[in-house]
Amino acid sequence: MSKFTFADGIRQAITEEMERDPAVFIIGEDVGASGGVFGVTKGLWERFGSDRLWDSPISEEAIVGAAVGASLVGGRPIAEIMFSDFSMLAMDMIVNQAAKTHYMTGGKLSSPMVVRMVTGTNGSTGAQHSQSLESWFTHVPGLKVLAPSTPEDAKGLMKSAIRDPDPVMFFEHKGLYVGRGGPAGEVVEIDPIPFGSGRIHREGTDVTIVTYLKTREYAMQAAEALAEEGISCEVFDPRTLVPFDYEGLRSSLEKTGRLLVAHEAPARGGFGAEIAAWAAEHCYDVLRSPVQRVGGRNTPVPYAPVLEQFVLPMTNQIAESVRTLLGKPTIQNQNINI
Amino acid sequence: MTNSLTQTATRAVGIDLEEGMDLLRRMILIRRFEERAAQLRASGLIPGFLHPCSGQEAVAVGVCAALGENDVLTSTHRGHGHLIGRGADPARMYAELFARSTGYNAGKGGSLHMIDAELGFLGANGIVGGGIPLATGAALQLKRTGSGAVAVTFFGDGASNEGAFHESLNLAALWKLPVLFVCENNLYGEFTRQNEHMLLENVADRASAYGLPGVVVDGNDVLAVRQVAAEAADRARNGMGPTLIEAKTYRHKGHFEGDMARYRPKEEVESWMKRDPLVLFPNVLRDELGATEESLEALRQEVEERLSRDIEWAKEQEHPSPEDALQHVYVDSYNGRALR
């Protein structure tokens, strides 16, 4: 059991960057003395004080707008949107303002800032606190989109995000915060991780599973189970969706010849569709079978555990999709998205 | 809480003739810049939208005259006046309107997004109310760094119905941010008259809901605007937080170039035209500071000649090359290719 949690990774990255650069500050709801709804900013208030943590009213547009405005005049803000579901209230500031500033001004201004957003479900968090909206932001030129799945990656990517000259959308899966127990606080040294560098979590030869955020854990469990059936899975986590490590994906497909994309977001219009389309366009020569996707069903996220587990992709669906790819399905394929 | 300091005296308070002529020069420059832009658009030299600010020049020039060089501004879709008021170069503005690569935004912005970063002018904005949170955030950073500078955001009566306005006023008041919220109330939100989009008569009354002072000023009186803006900037610099300034003014033309604005009563237009700031202020300069008719005419001529030179220069500028479309999507090394 690791002592270094996902929340620790983010907190340590922010702490180290705030110590390195006085321009870095935090703005958001309950980020101050209370330490954030998931405890990510715990202790920072005592350490850095009210000039570095701006504990704001519940005003998402003003929070992100203030971050964008501060970034235009030399600030390096980290804005926290408590749940990514609430980012819609700040969409103008993210999409029309931050994402386009550098472009519209012909390179004269830029908006270096990070928007931290909690994403996905941790069980029964309901339709307005559980969505996976990362694909929305990948569709907007000018934004970078990060989706780490381990505490180490969270730390390294957060350090890069804070130093990055562009607006960065940083997704943190609420199921990852609590995924590893043990006492928090051990400082783990991690260098900034460059964007666009994927990570192979498990080497394999039969199929590449591209996955990120919490779904990576289910993919790893599926790969373990499949290994017992003699199926060898390579688990590839791109870590950043924009920019995406297409070279890394291509290399993996050259080894395996088969691709499954797995994510929690609804399959329809999800980022898996983009990966699948890219592979079909650019890796047709190495593919041995059609690309498969496994994603959430095209429903809102329900409350009842039995319903939620039915609509979200878990270990069994991922494993079954791999079997289907290899022509070895064991049960009726449930990966049908209405 | 609302402090309705209605300033209507068109009197030459606290200025000499030279300063007065400088304010007038800037107001004429705005008016003629846009009138000539309208002609250039009609002749096909300017693509896209233009949202003229004719009639509102005294707000832009009055506010900008109260600011220091480190202060920053955000603007609206009707932003030409604010830029010129701040001292931007009309030649580079025309180059941008002509979509040339030496324009302020390298041809990527146009009228709706024009900036001059060196003047602290953080941009016109295509979204109604979009500049308000940005100025609030700039003010936060100015406060954090102890710069002593203030941020100003211009917006219209229509924008005061947007959530961005209300959230920002609350935030700025709470944190005593050095920001001036300047509402140019020109009576119309696009095609809709103020009394059809809000029940209040004064936008400034909205300030009391957030615990900051609201001030109403005659927006066609450049000196009155300058005075209330200077007072608000002093308050902000002294750590006393934001002020909402409502400048009552009038849009001489339609919402955009080409809108005939037939939705406005003729009598209303005529009565406001009599209060044209470009009529009122020359009268003050003549009657109270002894400006001669010849000197006023010479000023108009000087502006005309300058704009002619600026337009000629802008016409000669290069168009961007198509591949330039891939530049400036991101700041770093991704420039020059679309990031995957």
Side-chain angles (χ1 to χ4, degrees), chain A:
Chain A
M1 190 173 275
S2 169
K3 291 181 179 178
F4 178 58
T5 68
F6 196 89
D8 289 335
I10 294 163
R11 187 187 313 105
Q12 288 177 20
I14 291 173
T15 304
E16 289 166 23
E17 293 304 303
M18 284 177 79
E19 281 173 350
R20 187 186 61 80
D21 181 356
V24 178
F25 70 95
I26 298 174
I27 178 170
E29 295 156 15
D30 300 324
V31 296
S34 63
V37 70
F38 291 99
V40 173
T41 53
K42 220 171 189 57
L44 298 183
W45 179 266
E46 293 75 8
R47 186 160 185 163
F48 293 103
S50 59
D51 179 52
R52 305 294 293 281
L53 286 97
W54 293 81
D55 209 340
S56 74
I58 301 171
S59 303
E60 282 78 6
E61 183 167 15
I63 291 166
V64 180
V68 181
S71 75
L72 299 178
V73 293
R76 288 278 181 161
I78 302 166
E80 178 176 320
I81 297 288
M82 193 181 284
F83 291 82
S84 67
D85 313 69
F86 312 158
S87 68
M88 277 154 265
L89 296 155
M91 271 316 217
D92 179 57
M93 291 297 135
I94 298 171
V95 176
N96 282 324
Q97 312 295 340
K100 296 171 172 59
T101 297
H102 193 61
Y103 195 78
M104 290 192 304
T105 63
K108 303 295 196 305
L109 289 172
S110 62
S111 184
M113 58 151 200
V114 181
V115 181
R116 291 184 46 231
M117 290 180 285
V118 175
T119 186
T121 180
N122 191 37
S124 293
T125 47
Q128 294 175 337
H129 287 72
S130 305
Q131 294 170 89
S132 298
L133 302 173
E134 64 275 5
S135 73
W136 291 12
F137 299 94
T138 67
H139 194 63
V140 180
L143 299 177
K144 292 172 179 170
V145 181
L146 277 50
S149 70
T150 72
E152 295 77 15
D153 288 353
K155 180 168 181 180
L157 288 171
M158 179 57 81
K159 288 175 79 82
S160 296
I162 294 168
R163 297 181 192 189
D164 198 81
D166 294 309
V168 177
M169 304 292 111
F170 197 100
F171 285 91
E172 301 168 17
H173 197 289
K174 58 177 79 70
L176 293 173
Y177 291 139
V178 296
R180 299 194 186 187
E186 180 187 320
V187 175
V188 176
E189 295 292 330
I190 305 280
D191 289 332
I193 296 171
F195 297 168
S197 60
R199 175 171 170 185
I200 293 171
H201 282 271
R202 180 192 174 98
E203 304 241 8
T205 53
D206 291 328
V207 59
T208 299
I209 306 175
V210 176
T211 185
Y212 53 86
L213 291 170
K214 174 80 172 173
T215 310
R216 186 195 62 85
E217 292 184 355
Y218 301 129
M220 292 295 283
Q221 289 165 13
E224 298 286 329
L226 291 163
E228 291 174 15
E229 300 168 25
I231 297 172
S232 169
C233 297
E234 177 142 311
V235 177
F236 179 83
D237 177 359
R239 305 196 284 194
T240 66
L241 305 185
V242 178
F244 191 90
D245 183 4
Y246 285 110
E247 288 75 15
L249 173 57
R250 163 95 199 174
S251 301
S252 179
L253 293 180
E254 283 169 359
K255 269 196 291 181
T256 63
R258 296 185 186 88
L259 172 60
L260 172 72
V261 191
H263 57 55
E264 184 170 326
R268 183 180 66 213
F271 195 68
E274 179 64 28
I275 299 171
W278 187 87
E281 279 182 83
H282 299 280
C283 302
Y284 191 69
D285 57 324
V286 299
L287 288 175
R288 290 187 276 165
S289 59
V291 178
Q292 286 263 324
R293 287 182 287 152
V294 55
R297 305 248 180 167
N298 298 320
T299 66
V301 180
Y303 163 71
V306 64
L307 301 178
E308 190 184 68
Q309 286 182 23
F310 179 77
V311 304
L312 296 185
M314 303 289 182
T315 307
N316 286 345
Q317 289 98 314
I318 294 169
E320 191 56 21
S321 294
V322 169
R323 294 186 195 104
T324 302
L325 259 175
L326 291 161
K328 302 172 182 172
T330 54
I331 55 172
Q332 189 182 357
N333 189 348
Q334 295 191 358
N335 182 30
I336 297 163
N337 292 286
I338 53 169

Side-chain angles (χ1 to χ4, degrees), chain A residues 22-25 27-28 51-52 54-76 89 92-93 96-97 99 102-111 140-144 164-167 195-196 241-247 278, chain B residues 72 74 92 96 101 103-110 113-115 117 121-145 162-165 167-168 170-171 174-175 177 324-332 334-335 339-340:
Chain A
V24 178
F25 70 95
I27 178 170
D51 179 52
R52 305 294 293 281
W54 293 81
D55 209 340
S56 74
I58 301 171
S59 303
E60 282 78 6
E61 183 167 15
I63 291 166
V64 180
V68 181
S71 75
L72 299 178
V73 293
R76 288 278 181 161
L89 296 155
D92 179 57
M93 291 297 135
N96 282 324
Q97 312 295 340
H102 193 61
Y103 195 78
M104 290 192 304
T105 63
K108 303 295 196 305
L109 289 172
S110 62
S111 184
V140 180
L143 299 177
K144 292 172 179 170
D164 198 81
D166 294 309
F195 297 168
L241 305 185
V242 178
F244 191 90
D245 183 4
Y246 285 110
E247 288 75 15
W278 187 87
Chain B
V72 303
T74 71
R92 294 186 65 200
E96 185 60 30
S101 56
Y104 265 117
N105 304 38
K108 295 257 178 66
H113 309 297
M114 221 181 276
I115 56 136
F121 193 93
L122 304 176
N125 208 303
I127 306 296
V128 169
I132 304 174
L134 304 184
T136 304
L140 172 59
Q141 179 66 7
L142 296 175
K143 180 187 171 99
R144 285 194 61 241
T145 55
E162 290 277 8
F165 167 87
E167 290 190 16
S168 298
N170 185 51
L171 198 77
L174 189 65
W175 293 346
L177 300 182
D324 290 345
L326 299 179
Q327 292 284 346
H328 306 135
V329 181
Y330 297 92
V331 173
D332 53 20
Y334 302 105
N335 280 335
L339 187 62
R340 298 190 309 213

Side-chain angles (χ1 to χ4, degrees), chain B residues 11 36-37 71 89 97 128 155 166 179 190 206 209 212 219 235 281 290 296 314 322:
Chain B
R11 304 224 23 225
R36 296 189 71 163
D71 297 332
D89 178 2
L97 292 181
V128 169
F155 54 92
H166 296 275
V179 54
E190 303 208 351
R206 293 183 156 172
L212 65 148
R235 271 179 51 82
F281 195 52
L296 293 170

Side-chain angles (χ1 to χ4, degrees), chain B residues 285-317:
Chain B
L285 294 177
R286 198 170 35 225
D287 300 346
E288 297 188 37
L289 294 175
T292 62
E293 202 50 64
E294 293 72 32
S295 66
L296 293 170
E297 187 48 40
L299 194 63
R300 293 187 192 101
Q301 198 56 38
E302 177 200 318
V303 167
E304 221 56 59
E305 286 165 11
R306 172 179 185 176
L307 290 176
S308 294
R309 283 195 304 275
D310 289 344
I311 290 167
E312 285 315 304
W313 178 84
K315 278 181 179 168
E316 289 164 10
Q317 300 304 298

Side-chain angles (χ1 to χ4, degrees), chain B:
Chain B
M1 183 60 87
T2 302
N3 171 20
S4 287
L5 271 180
T6 307
Q7 299 274 346
T8 50
T10 41
R11 304 224 23 225
V13 184
I15 59 159
D16 60 23
L17 181 59
E18 191 184 339
E19 283 176 283
M21 292 296 267
D22 196 51
L23 296 177
L24 180 63
R25 178 183 292 111
R26 220 155 256 199
M27 286 163 64
I28 297 173
L29 195 57
I30 295 169
R31 177 72 56 89
R32 290 297 299 148
F33 176 90
E34 288 204 326
E35 287 175 348
R36 296 189 71 163
Q39 292 165 352
L40 291 160
R41 185 171 179 276
S43 66
L45 212 63
I46 297 175
F49 301 116
L50 291 180
H51 298 83
C53 69
S54 293
Q56 304 179 193
E57 295 87 348
V59 188
V61 172
V63 169
C64 289
L67 301 178
E69 63 177 13
N70 295 326
D71 297 332
V72 303
L73 303 92
T74 71
S75 176
T76 68
H77 56 288
R78 208 174 298 291
H80 302 148
H82 306 140
L83 262 164
I84 295 174
R86 182 61 176 168
D89 178 2
R92 294 186 65 200
M93 292 173 68
Y94 278 124
E96 185 60 30
L97 292 181
F98 297 166
R100 308 302 167 99
S101 56
T102 51
Y104 265 117
N105 304 38
K108 295 257 178 66
S111 171
L112 280 174
H113 309 297
M114 221 181 276
I115 56 136
D116 186 334
E118 287 174 11
L119 293 177
F121 193 93
L122 304 176
N125 208 303
I127 306 296
V128 169
I132 304 174
L134 304 184
T136 304
L140 172 59
Q141 179 66 7
L142 296 175
K143 180 187 171 99
R144 285 194 61 241
T145 55
S147 67
V150 303
V152 176
T153 179
F154 292 100
F155 54 92
D157 45 303
S160 77
N161 296 321
E162 290 277 8
F165 167 87
H166 296 275
E167 290 190 16
S168 298
L169 260 67
N170 185 51
L171 198 77
L174 189 65
W175 293 346
K176 290 202 172 355
L177 300 182
V179 54
L180 276 54
F181 297 103
V182 181
C183 177
E184 298 178 297
N185 185 348
N186 63 17
L187 283 189
Y188 286 85
E190 303 208 351
F191 305 160
T192 302
R193 204 172 189 284
Q194 185 196 336
N195 59 0
E196 291 170 15
H197 71 65
M198 57 187 281
L199 279 179
L200 291 176
E201 186 185 336
N202 295 326
V203 173
D205 290 346
R206 293 183 156 172
S208 64
Y210 304 104
L212 65 148
V215 181
V216 177
V217 64
D218 178 355
N220 284 15
D221 181 339
V222 66
L223 297 180
V225 172
R226 191 181 71 149
Q227 186 179 323
V228 298
E231 287 168 8
D234 277 349
R235 271 179 51 82
R237 286 187 222 284
N238 290 325
M240 295 166 73
T243 302
L244 172 60
I245 297 171
E246 178 184 11
K248 304 272 194 190
T249 185
Y250 197 69
R251 202 179 68 194
H252 284 184
K253 303 183 85 173
H255 171 50
F256 50 81
E257 202 58 62
D259 167 21
M260 300 306 288
R262 293 202 175 89
Y263 44 84
R264 302 187 306 186
K266 193 164 163 251
E267 305 73 40
E268 177 187 287
V269 178
E270 285 170 356
S271 75
W272 277 96
M273 285 297 182
K274 288 179 192 149
R275 301 206 68 251
D276 182 345
L278 291 193
V279 173
L280 297 183
F281 195 52
N283 288 343
V284 172
L285 294 177
R286 198 170 35 225
D287 300 346
E288 297 188 37
L289 294 175
T292 62
E293 202 50 64
E294 293 72 32
S295 66
L296 293 170
E297 187 48 40
L299 194 63
R300 293 187 192 101
Q301 198 56 38
E302 177 200 318
V303 167
E304 221 56 59
E305 286 165 11
R306 172 179 185 176
L307 290 176
S308 294
R309 283 195 304 275
D310 289 344
I311 290 167
E312 285 315 304
W313 178 84
K315 278 181 179 168
E316 289 164 10
Q317 300 304 298
E318 300 281 330
H319 290 276
S321 62
E323 299 75 33
D324 290 345
L326 299 179
Q327 292 284 346
H328 306 135
V329 181
Y330 297 92
V331 173
D332 53 20
S333 55
Y334 302 105
N335 280 335
R337 65 186 172 89
L339 187 62
R340 298 190 309 213

